[in-house]
Amino acid sequence: MAPSRLARPVAVRVARHFVYAIIQFLLMTLADLAGIVPSATAQSLGNSDPTYQALRNLTLGQESVSVNNVDLKRDAATFHLRSGTVCFVAPAAGKVTGAVFTGEGTLVLSAPPTERSMLKLLTKEDEFSETFSQMALRFTDSTYDDLKKAGTAASGNCDAGPLKESQRTTRHDLKNNLEARILQDVLNSEPGGLFMAFIRGRRYNDKELLAIDPNIGGEQVQFITYSESKSGIWASFPLSDARSRDQAGTRVSIDHQQLDTKIESNAELTGRATTTFVSRFNGTRVVPFDLFPTLRVQSVTADGASLPFIQEDKNEDADFAVILPKALAAGQLYTLTTTYGGKDAVKNEGNGNYYPVSRMNWFPNNSGVEFGEFSSYDMTFHIPKGMKMVATGELVSESNDGGHNITVWKSEAPQTVAGFNFGKFKLQEAKLANPQYLVQSFANQDPPSWVQSLKQAASGDDLPTDGLHTGAAVALGTMNTTLLNKKALAEGELAIQLYTEYFGPPLFKHLQITQQSACNFGQAWPGLVWIPICYYFDTTVRHQLGLDLADRGYWTVVTPHEVAHQWWGHTVGFSSYRDQWMSEGFSDMSASLYLTVADKNPQRYVDFWNDERSLLIDRNAQGFRAIDAGPVTMGYRLSNSRTGSTSRGGSSIPKVHTYCTCYA
Ligand SMILES: [Zn+2]
């Protein structure tokens, strides 16, 4: 486990909506895909809705039109169909949701000025213009009517290949359930606005996708390529029409979550979530949720009745969605209960160490809201006896029952997200008077198995033969993490007091600092932070693990940086990746303030900012400088195959602290 733990990719994102799924796919192609074994999981209660099944098994129908010099304009994209045939798919619930074009066509993309420089960089031309002879379209907007009106009835047959390929792509590669998305609009009582073109481009790439989806917040228009060798986001921007933009965004916002979660000693999780949400628009009938793919839904109920739901195979397009008995009006509240369970959302790392793999979607969370939505939470956790649970919110009660430790938690204030960490923890705590605040620090009593194996390797018992740190002699330093627990606590106390003085009180009245078995990143949730286990090692051990990073001061500021996210990220949220740089930037700025009081040597503060500067202007192994990659508002998009900044180069990875060593 050691190599994967040490080399855990920093930029792991969660598939939430189509564009988010695309991002996930793009990142997946950069990661190690080995070990994903397809399996056919039967869903006895899910996926049975007849309209959904009709969409899932969609083929070309009988209807086709000939087109000559037809322009199809969709936001910034203009398709010119010079000549050819359009064959439509068979209707589902009376609606035609797709077509295949064969002939001669061009696509011109007039992206807004903010995206033009990126496009120009990629195409080396002033105007983005692609030519194609085949394309599959999926839509719930007026495309069927528009093309029928513009063309003349024909009897030609079309090759169904592009349609089949688009179905294969969304299911197996992008892992996004396009049929579930289309079902949202087909069953909605209001007209839909989805438009997707899978283009076999001739000039740039034969796997191009133009996607327009009004049901997501932020940026509804994207142009991407998704071939194995060349995948990336070429352009991403909001709908250009202001009225359409007003109607865009997630269909619901979640008001309250009541989560009852049980985790067994083998880390298997079972949950029961009672979710109350409000419909943001008229006509909402299908509600998508973000749920970790291996957590399999057993049932969804509302008002005592079972509701149909969708969740495909865990290794494919496993997006979870619920079909309501009837459409909701704008502002209408609705409550449903989901039961689910499975492995891999949490991992047992040995010796009382558990790793929460899923951070945002271990329960049915809203899909595609980043940190821009605030909800309240009531949570109950059942974990193996002897383990200690640490979660977001205030601890209401703790008891033991039948071999389980049971804790109840309640959010002190609406939260952007909810999460937990648990293990065989030792606790150190301090009560602050000004501000009135409880700071707690939790470290594991024993190291996880991967650290144990390093220790054994050092003593010559059992040399691991794979990975970067084969046989590293790490027995010299101490690996007892509880010794540094006091240090983490002291850093947390000082940071809370200092930041309160500078920025005012945060939303939450307590902070729990916890050790996690991942080595090289930290993360912050409301009232809960995860600190990488390697922070708790002494400098000798870190040196032997090749994790010095000391010259960049990472280990000195990881705790104050994560604590600062209580203000930047969770008191002030962000609804788009475009704004995440502020959350990271303010947290880094806060950490530098921390250095001025924690360390009497003023040089530390100067060193910190010198390090930040060199991270921007030093060249990486590919010769790129972070400062040249693009504006900070491009966020994670700055790391791509062009800048080489996603290569696994360890400390040579340039970062602009938009998408840094922590997610929030
Ligand atoms: Zn951060």
Side-chain angles (χ1 to χ4, degrees):
M1 281 310 288
S4 69
R5 194 49 85 238
L6 295 166
R8 182 179 292 281
V10 168
V12 177
R13 287 175 68 89
V14 179
R16 316 205 84 198
H17 267 300
F18 204 91
V19 287
Y20 293 97
I22 290 166
I23 293 161
Q24 172 78 352
F25 165 73
L26 297 176
L27 292 168
M28 288 270 288
T29 59
L30 302 167
D32 183 7
L33 287 170
I36 294 177
V37 183
S39 76
T41 310
Q43 285 286 327
S44 53
L45 297 170
N47 307 331
S48 55
D49 178 83
T51 308
Y52 173 69
Q53 277 306 321
L55 288 168
R56 196 74 180 167
N57 299 306
L58 202 64
T59 53
L60 287 181
Q62 303 297 319
E63 205 175 358
S64 61
V65 291
S66 291
V67 284
N68 275 293
N69 293 317
V70 169
D71 279 337
L72 189 65
K73 194 161 164 36
R74 291 293 177 267
D75 201 84
T78 304
F79 293 88
H80 180 70
L81 308 180
R82 200 152 65 85
S83 65
T85 308
V86 173
C87 296
F88 295 103
V89 300
K95 290 182 183 171
V96 174
T97 59
V100 166
F101 167 78
T102 313
E104 287 298 316
T106 57
L107 162 66
V108 173
L109 191 61
S110 307
T114 47
E115 292 292 302
R116 264 179 227 155
S117 57
M118 181 67 156
L119 274 176
K120 198 173 167 180
L121 203 69
L122 292 164
T123 61
K124 299 181 177 58
E125 285 172 23
D126 288 331
E127 184 187 67
F128 177 93
S129 174
E130 176 61 290
T131 62
F132 55 88
S133 55
Q134 276 191 318
M135 149 171 94
L137 298 174
R138 299 307 307 275
F139 45 76
T140 59
D141 64 358
S142 61
T143 299
Y144 172 62
D145 291 335
D146 294 349
L147 285 175
K148 248 181 83 170
K149 214 177 287 170
T152 51
S155 56
N157 281 333
C158 289
D159 174 11
L163 174 69
K164 289 208 175 89
E165 192 186 299
S166 72
Q167 290 165 327
R168 218 173 22 242
T169 294
T170 51
R171 288 171 201 184
H172 305 306
D173 302 329
L174 300 175
K175 298 188 190 301
N176 181 269
N177 193 329
L178 178 57
E179 290 83 12
R181 170 62 191 89
I182 289 173
L183 186 73
Q184 285 182 32
D185 291 356
V186 169
L187 296 187
N188 197 311
S189 56
E190 303 286 313
L194 183 77
F195 177 87
M196 306 193 97
F198 299 82
I199 305 152
R200 287 188 184 171
R202 281 193 189 133
R203 298 189 62 201
Y204 303 121
N205 200 293
D206 65 352
K207 290 183 174 176
E208 296 168 350
L209 171 60
L210 177 89
I212 302 176
D213 186 354
N215 284 17
I216 58 173
E219 293 166 4
Q220 293 85 21
V221 187
Q222 284 211 325
F223 182 82
I224 70 154
T225 55
Y226 58 90
S227 63
E228 284 283 321
S229 55
K230 269 190 190 167
S231 56
I233 298 169
W234 292 46
S236 176
F237 46 92
L239 290 167
S240 56
D241 174 56
R243 230 184 27 206
S244 309
R245 243 183 355 251
D246 286 347
Q247 291 299 307
T250 54
R251 298 296 98 179
V252 304
S253 53
I254 292 178
D255 194 52
H256 182 72
Q257 292 272 20
Q258 191 178 323
L259 308 174
D260 197 333
T261 308
K262 188 173 187 177
I263 303 161
E264 303 294 349
S265 57
N266 67 0
E268 187 157 348
L269 183 153
T270 50
R272 180 188 158 89
T274 300
T275 307
T276 301
F277 56 87
V278 59
S279 178
R280 299 183 58 227
F281 301 96
N282 277 327
T284 306
R285 179 78 199 284
V286 180
V287 183
F289 291 99
D290 182 20
L291 182 65
F292 196 74
T294 62
L295 295 176
R296 308 305 298 170
V297 176
Q298 282 121 27
S299 69
V300 184
T301 52
D303 302 321
S306 290
L307 302 189
F309 63 91
I310 294 163
Q311 188 188 40
E312 295 289 345
D313 189 281
K314 69 182 166 68
N315 295 311
E316 301 210 339
D317 50 343
D319 305 339
F320 171 47
V322 179
I323 304 168
L324 306 181
K326 59 177 191 180
L328 301 179
Q332 194 176 341
L333 271 177
Y334 198 83
T335 298
L336 51 79
T337 298
T338 309
T339 61
Y340 47 93
K343 289 179 177 162
D344 301 329
V346 178
K347 283 223 181 301
N348 182 345
E349 304 265 82
N351 307 315
N353 290 265
Y354 288 86
Y355 183 73
V357 177
S358 163
R359 299 290 164 101
M360 297 184 74
N361 57 358
W362 53 277
F363 58 93
N365 202 345
N366 203 359
S367 202
V369 291
E370 301 274 348
F371 290 108
E373 184 175 287
F374 290 77
S375 316
S376 59
Y377 292 84
D378 282 297
M379 308 195 292
T380 303
F381 290 98
H382 313 248
I383 54 171
K385 217 166 100 184
M387 300 297 135
K388 191 141 194 66
M389 173 55 73
V390 183
T392 51
E394 199 171 12
L395 179 63
V396 176
S397 70
E398 179 164 14
S399 59
N400 284 295
D401 176 43
H404 282 94
N405 164 277
I406 302 166
T407 50
V408 178
W409 304 78
K410 193 175 183 57
S411 50
E412 298 170 271
Q415 294 169 189
T416 48
V417 69
F420 63 88
N421 194 4
F422 73 99
K424 210 168 151 195
F425 283 143
K426 265 198 173 149
L427 164 67
Q428 304 258 4
E429 64 179 15
K431 281 200 174 75
L432 304 182
N434 187 25
Q436 286 214 336
Y437 211 91
L438 177 64
V439 187
Q440 297 176 309
S441 188
F442 300 83
N444 278 81
Q445 295 179 23
D446 300 306
S449 307
W450 71 265
V451 173
Q452 287 284 35
S453 70
L454 288 177
K455 285 177 84 170
Q456 279 165 10
S459 61
D461 292 345
D462 177 23
L463 281 172
T465 51
D466 58 346
L468 296 166
H469 306 290
T470 304
V474 290
L476 294 173
T478 176
M479 292 192 122
N480 185 344
T481 58
T482 52
L483 291 179
L484 272 161
N485 202 13
K486 262 205 171 95
K487 182 166 175 273
L489 178 69
E491 290 179 358
E493 283 178 65
L494 182 56
I496 289 288
Q497 286 167 314
L498 179 73
Y499 300 159
T500 303
E501 221 168 274
Y502 270 95
F503 315 129
L507 270 180
F508 314 100
K509 295 282 166 275
H510 76 284
L511 176 70
Q512 301 161 109
I513 299 164
T514 65
Q515 175 197 321
Q516 68 169 349
S517 56
C519 181
N520 58 354
F521 77 93
Q523 193 170 26
W525 264 198
L528 166 67
V529 302
W530 291 269
I531 300 294
I533 189 172
C534 294
Y535 161 89
Y536 299 84
F537 297 160
D538 67 23
T539 47
T540 317
V541 175
R542 279 206 298 265
H543 176 69
Q544 284 158 343
L545 289 171
L547 284 160
D548 286 316
L549 304 174
D551 54 334
R552 300 287 190 211
Y554 175 77
W555 302 107
T556 316
V557 294
V558 60
T559 306
H561 175 101
E562 297 304 336
V563 173
H565 278 307
Q566 296 305 306
W567 281 261
W568 315 120
H570 296 305
T571 298
V572 182
F574 55 92
S575 55
S576 160
Y577 71 92
R578 299 272 186 185
D579 298 332
Q580 189 171 1
W581 68 273
M582 286 191 259
S583 174
E584 295 307 334
F586 280 121
S587 293
D588 263 1
M589 183 273 286
S590 306
S592 78
L593 292 176
Y594 172 91
L595 286 178
T596 64
V597 290
D599 203 309
K600 295 282 175 276
N601 182 359
Q603 189 57 35
R604 295 293 293 277
Y605 175 82
V606 176
D607 290 346
F608 176 88
W609 286 108
N610 279 336
D611 284 345
E612 296 281 295
R613 186 194 295 115
S614 61
L615 284 170
L616 278 173
I617 60 177
D618 285 356
R619 290 184 191 280
N620 67 0
Q622 288 76 26
F624 287 100
R625 304 186 310 166
I627 198 170
D628 300 326
V632 287
T633 49
M634 282 182 69
Y636 69 92
R637 289 172 60 200
L638 291 175
S639 287
N640 55 46
S641 50
R642 189 184 59 79
T643 59
S645 45
T646 52
S647 66
R648 290 177 165 183
S651 56
S652 68
I653 297 173
K655 51 179 183 172
V656 197
H657 282 284
T658 54
Y659 208 86
C660 77
T661 46
C662 48
Y663 308 122

